[in-house]
Amino acid sequence: MVRAPSYDKNGIKKGAWSKEEDERLRAYIQRYGHFNWRQLPKFAGLARCGKSCRLRWLNYLRPDLKHGNYTQEEVELIMKLHQQLGNKWSQIAEKLPGRTDNEVKNYWHSHLKKCLKSKENTTCELKSKPGNSLEGNATCKFVRSESPDADVGDDFHNIFESSLPMSTETSEGDNDSLTSNVAQSTMNCSRGKEDFSVAPWVTFEEFSGDFWTEPFVAENTYTDEICSGESGAFLIPNFYDGAYLL
DNA sequence: AACGACTGCAACCGCCGTTCG
DNA sequence: GCGAACGGCGGTTGCAGTCGT
């Protein structure tokens, strides 16, 4: 399901992320935040490009993410928003707490698009995975819109209906109230038995821990050089040898 | 049991907009 | 005004797992 790991000519790793890489990235961002994606992999001791780290964090590691288990409300909201916005996945994802644009996009292409392909006045079943809260398979129906607007894409000519009690009756511009029905996620996550809150905006200045005495976990920790800035001295880690330690 | 087709989704790619020097 | 750097976005790809024969 994932790409095989490989290295490009610059020694940048591509492909599937290992558990260790995930832990390293997660630990680093939770501790220091992501001030600069391009520099982050160097500081975190990851042989990845910044974009890859950003994508991995945003789409998979963020503690406020939900995975799988699309609710009927979410399915309906995706359909409705796609009608309104088209392939603006990031905007659609904004209305779905805990979902990413990538996830919504994938879900659309793998589940919902085929429903629309079945064209007018047809029904399809959105089958759930085991444990999916989309219990008992939502039934969706698509009917041809009366709208004369011919400029929009073919998909926009369809109106989504569902077996849900709540539905497209949600008033215009009331998407916020709809999304509020979906449990608002928090930035809490757990590490072993201890719970701790995570602020994604944490910066070096705000980090309350000791940057020096609590080095980012890595083996073979050596330092390259020490720089000074407004908030005091900080380390430039030796990317190839490991991470921080003073 | 074996094998090919299909599916789902993580990850990559390339383009675009914004910011900053 | 210009170009480089960076972040964000949408489209596409690769491949493990699942399904059907």
Side-chain angles (χ1 to χ4, degrees), chain A residues 192-205:
Chain A
K193 288 182 178 178
E194 74 176 310
D195 289 338
F196 56 98
S197 296
V198 179
W201 53 85
V202 163
T203 66
F204 278 95
E205 289 77 13

Side-chain angles (χ1 to χ4, degrees), chain A residues 6-168:
Chain A
S6 63
Y7 291 85
D8 72 6
K9 58 186 177 185
N10 298 317
I12 300 298
K13 190 179 178 184
K14 295 186 170 188
W17 282 64
S18 67
K19 198 167 184 174
E20 184 190 352
E21 287 177 304
D22 281 347
E23 286 307 311
R24 192 180 280 262
L25 179 62
R26 181 187 286 114
Y28 185 87
I29 293 177
Q30 285 176 350
R31 182 159 296 186
Y32 304 116
H34 46 77
F35 52 93
N36 182 318
W37 285 114
R38 186 157 295 198
Q39 298 300 319
L40 187 146
K42 297 178 188 174
F43 284 76
L46 289 162
R48 296 277 182 173
C49 69
K51 271 194 170 186
S52 184
C53 292
R54 174 183 167 274
L55 212 62
R56 185 64 177 172
W57 172 255
L58 292 178
N59 289 334
Y60 198 79
L61 297 176
R62 265 165 51 201
D64 59 330
L65 289 182
K66 291 187 282 186
H67 293 289
N69 297 352
Y70 276 78
T71 65
Q72 290 190 340
E73 288 87 353
E74 287 176 311
V75 171
E76 183 172 354
L77 189 54
I78 291 170
M79 300 296 290
K80 183 182 178 184
L81 290 173
H82 189 266
Q83 270 187 293
Q84 296 172 351
L85 303 170
N87 294 353
K88 302 292 183 186
W89 304 117
S90 59
Q91 292 179 36
I92 294 173
E94 281 177 10
K95 301 291 186 182
L96 292 152
R99 302 295 184 187
T100 68
D101 55 351
N102 204 39
E103 198 178 9
V104 171
K105 179 173 58 182
N106 281 334
Y107 189 77
W108 172 265
H109 284 125
S110 58
H111 294 88
L112 305 179
K113 193 177 179 180
K114 66 182 71 170
C115 293
L116 285 173
K117 290 284 183 188
S118 62
K119 295 297 180 182
E120 61 188 45
N121 287 329
T122 58
T123 61
C124 68
E125 287 185 347
L126 300 171
K127 298 192 175 181
S128 61
K129 291 179 181 177
N132 193 329
S133 58
L134 205 147
E135 203 74 45
N137 303 337
T139 301
C140 310
K141 182 181 179 182
F142 302 92
V143 297
R144 181 66 64 177
S145 169
E146 298 298 325
S147 167
D149 183 0
D151 284 340
V152 292
D154 203 30
D155 288 350
F156 287 78
H157 289 269
N158 297 300
I159 291 177
F160 176 73
E161 293 179 350
S162 85
S163 55
L164 279 174
M166 65 177 292
S167 69
T168 51

Side-chain angles (χ1 to χ4, degrees), chain A residues 179-212:
Chain A
T179 55
S180 69
N181 290 334
V182 184
Q184 287 290 330
S185 54
T186 68
M187 294 300 290
N188 293 332
C189 61
S190 61
R191 182 175 52 197
K193 288 182 178 178
E194 74 176 310
D195 289 338
F196 56 98
S197 296
V198 179
W201 53 85
V202 163
T203 66
F204 278 95
E205 289 77 13
E206 292 165 337
F207 171 58
S208 58
D210 190 329
F211 188 87
W212 306 98

Side-chain angles (χ1 to χ4, degrees), chain A residues 226-241:
Chain A
I226 300 176
C227 300
S228 59
E230 290 183 7
S231 56
F234 60 94
L235 284 176
I236 300 295
N238 183 329
F239 173 40
Y240 295 103
D241 288 345

